[in-house]
Amino acid sequence: MKSFFIGNIEIKTPVIQGGMGVGISLSGLASAVANEGGVGVISCAGLGLLYPKGKGTYPEKCINGLKEEIRKARAKTKGIIGVNVMVALSNYADMVRTAIEEKIDVVFSGAGLPLDLPSYLTPESTTKLVPIVSSSRAAKIICDKWQKNYNYLPDAIVVEGPKAGGHLGFKKEQLQDQHYALEALIPEVVMIASSYKEQKQIPVIAAGGISTGEDIAHFMELGAAGVQMGSIFVTTQECDASETFKEVYIHSKSEDVLIIESPVGMPGRAIDGEFIHNVNSGLERPKSCSFHCIKTCDYTKSPYCIIKALYNAAKGNMKKGYAFAGSNAFLAEKISSVKEVMSTLEREFFLATHKLA
């Protein structure tokens, strides 16, 4: 697989590990992917829950948790480490500032348009900025706003299609519409990115439902410089989630992967289970909220507390949570090492590109 650059950083293996929260992709998984030449990504979501013994308020615990995870990752790898910061997070600004102060290599930001992301850079910052979009329109808006307001263009753009896990930037009826398929989106965003090539090379990264080396080859043929993959790394030894969480993936069937309504106000893709059934029966309504983690969430109207549900699942309490997952998560058969996953992808990519598959 051919390397590519995000700014002046060479990504030797063109695989970005998707940020998965709460507590699925932390320093353990991120450093393992970075050691294999990809970009390992720490999710910022809910870090205050993962570091409950820290001093201060929930937002302060999130800041300390992010610092700790970045430092742990740095101790385990000399590779490329990024963080994923959702625009929808109430502490979005805190998380971006903290990541840049800690000299993170890349900030990935989606779940909303990160229109002010370059404003957090300081003159000495080396951090690269990569928005996550689900349309060419969003890519164009971000590029133009950043250029006009900050004289800055994205260092890369991740295009997340409708087969991704977790929150999706599409309406429910668009998820099966071929006009919104990743195959349709990639060439459109590549065209937008190439319109700025006089000022900057902006690589486009394909994401959502990518699960094999053959998929990687396919999207590279469509113009992508690399791919982002999440679900394939959940069932690795190094993934930071509990073994119980990983087993949910391994024992799932294709019909178990479904679209749910999230308190965030977006559709989401998750694996069916007892908690989702209880939500549908109205049994998980929150009585209060001490986190205020998502800007758009009103707990009085929310069917459940999403941060607690995702935290519980990551810790293995599937009766009180659920697993977000990409459309092909059910393909997982066993727990492997990150090294084994990357080797398999390399082999499949080679076969696909040499027409031997």
Side-chain angles (χ1 to χ4, degrees), residues 10 48 256:
E10 185 176 9
D256 296 329

Side-chain angles (χ1 to χ4, degrees), residues 17-320:
Q17 162 252 308
M20 296 173 284
V22 171
I24 310 301
S25 67
L26 302 172
S27 54
L29 178 56
S31 59
V33 173
N35 281 331
E36 297 305 315
V39 181
V41 180
I42 296 163
S43 168
C44 285
L47 284 172
L49 276 175
L50 301 168
Y51 284 85
K53 292 177 182 169
K55 290 180 183 173
T57 60
Y58 172 76
E60 286 167 336
K61 289 175 183 176
C62 287
I63 290 170
N64 293 333
L66 180 55
K67 287 180 180 176
E68 190 69 24
E69 286 301 324
I70 292 171
R71 289 168 190 177
K72 280 184 189 170
R74 290 278 185 233
K76 295 176 191 171
T77 185
K78 290 185 167 62
I80 311 304
I81 296 290
V83 298
N84 180 290
V85 190
M86 295 191 296
V87 178
L89 291 177
S90 301
N91 62 351
Y92 162 77
D94 283 347
M95 295 289 92
V96 173
R97 276 196 205 96
T98 302
I100 291 170
E101 282 167 15
E102 291 293 311
K103 298 182 170 51
I104 200 72
D105 295 310
V106 191
V107 169
F108 297 90
S109 189
L113 297 182
L115 295 177
D116 68 343
L117 193 54
S119 71
Y120 299 99
L121 292 173
T122 59
E124 63 277 7
S125 299
T126 55
T127 298
K128 309 306 172 201
L129 306 180
V130 180
I132 302 170
V133 303
S134 51
S135 70
S136 57
R137 182 173 171 271
K140 174 82 172 140
I141 289 168
I142 289 168
C143 287
D144 288 348
K145 283 273 188 190
W146 286 17
Q147 192 170 40
K148 182 185 172 193
N149 295 340
Y150 309 105
N151 192 28
Y152 195 98
L153 284 166
D155 296 291
I157 298 172
V158 173
V159 186
E160 201 165 84
K163 293 184 178 179
H167 293 116
L168 305 167
F170 301 90
K171 293 174 180 161
K172 209 166 179 181
E173 61 272 18
Q174 294 173 335
L175 298 178
Q176 302 300 325
D177 186 334
Q178 287 311 300
H179 292 99
Y180 300 94
L182 188 56
E183 284 82 355
L185 298 177
I186 290 297
E188 291 174 2
V189 178
V190 167
M191 197 178 292
I192 296 292
S194 63
S195 71
Y196 299 92
K197 66 174 182 254
E198 299 287 319
Q199 298 112 295
K200 193 172 195 174
Q201 290 290 328
I202 306 174
V204 173
I205 297 156
I210 299 170
S211 54
T212 66
E214 193 173 358
D215 292 341
I216 298 171
H218 171 58
F219 286 107
M220 284 186 166
E221 279 177 22
L222 294 175
V227 297
Q228 178 180 285
M229 307 175 84
S231 296
I232 199 167
F233 291 113
V234 169
T235 51
T236 59
Q237 290 149 10
E238 297 92 342
C239 175
D240 300 275
S242 67
E243 295 307 304
T244 306
F245 186 95
K246 298 174 191 181
E247 291 291 332
V248 169
Y249 271 55
I250 290 168
H251 296 305
S252 68
K253 303 181 185 70
S254 63
E255 60 267 28
D256 296 329
V257 183
L258 42 81
I259 301 299
I260 62 170
E261 295 298 328
S262 164
V264 175
M266 296 171 158
R269 181 172 280 107
I271 297 174
D272 199 7
E274 183 181 339
F275 180 81
I276 289 173
H277 297 175
N278 288 342
V279 167
N280 292 338
S281 303
L283 301 175
E284 294 292 341
R285 292 193 174 278
K287 294 182 176 63
S288 63
C289 175
S290 53
F291 306 116
H292 308 291
C293 61
I294 302 288
K295 293 172 188 168
T296 54
C297 181
D298 177 355
Y299 84 89
T300 63
K301 298 173 186 167
S302 184
Y304 61 96
C305 174
I306 188 165
I307 197 169
K308 278 189 185 169
L310 296 178
Y311 169 80
N312 289 336
K315 292 296 182 187
N317 182 2
M318 302 312 295
K319 290 188 174 183
K320 283 293 178 183

Side-chain angles (χ1 to χ4, degrees), residues 29 32-33 36 232-233 235-239 246 334-345:
L29 178 56
V33 173
E36 297 305 315
I232 199 167
F233 291 113
T235 51
T236 59
Q237 290 149 10
E238 297 92 342
C239 175
K246 298 174 191 181
K334 62 183 172 79
I335 307 288
S336 309
S337 68
V338 166
K339 192 177 195 65
E340 287 168 331
V341 168
M342 290 293 228
S343 296
T344 299
L345 291 174

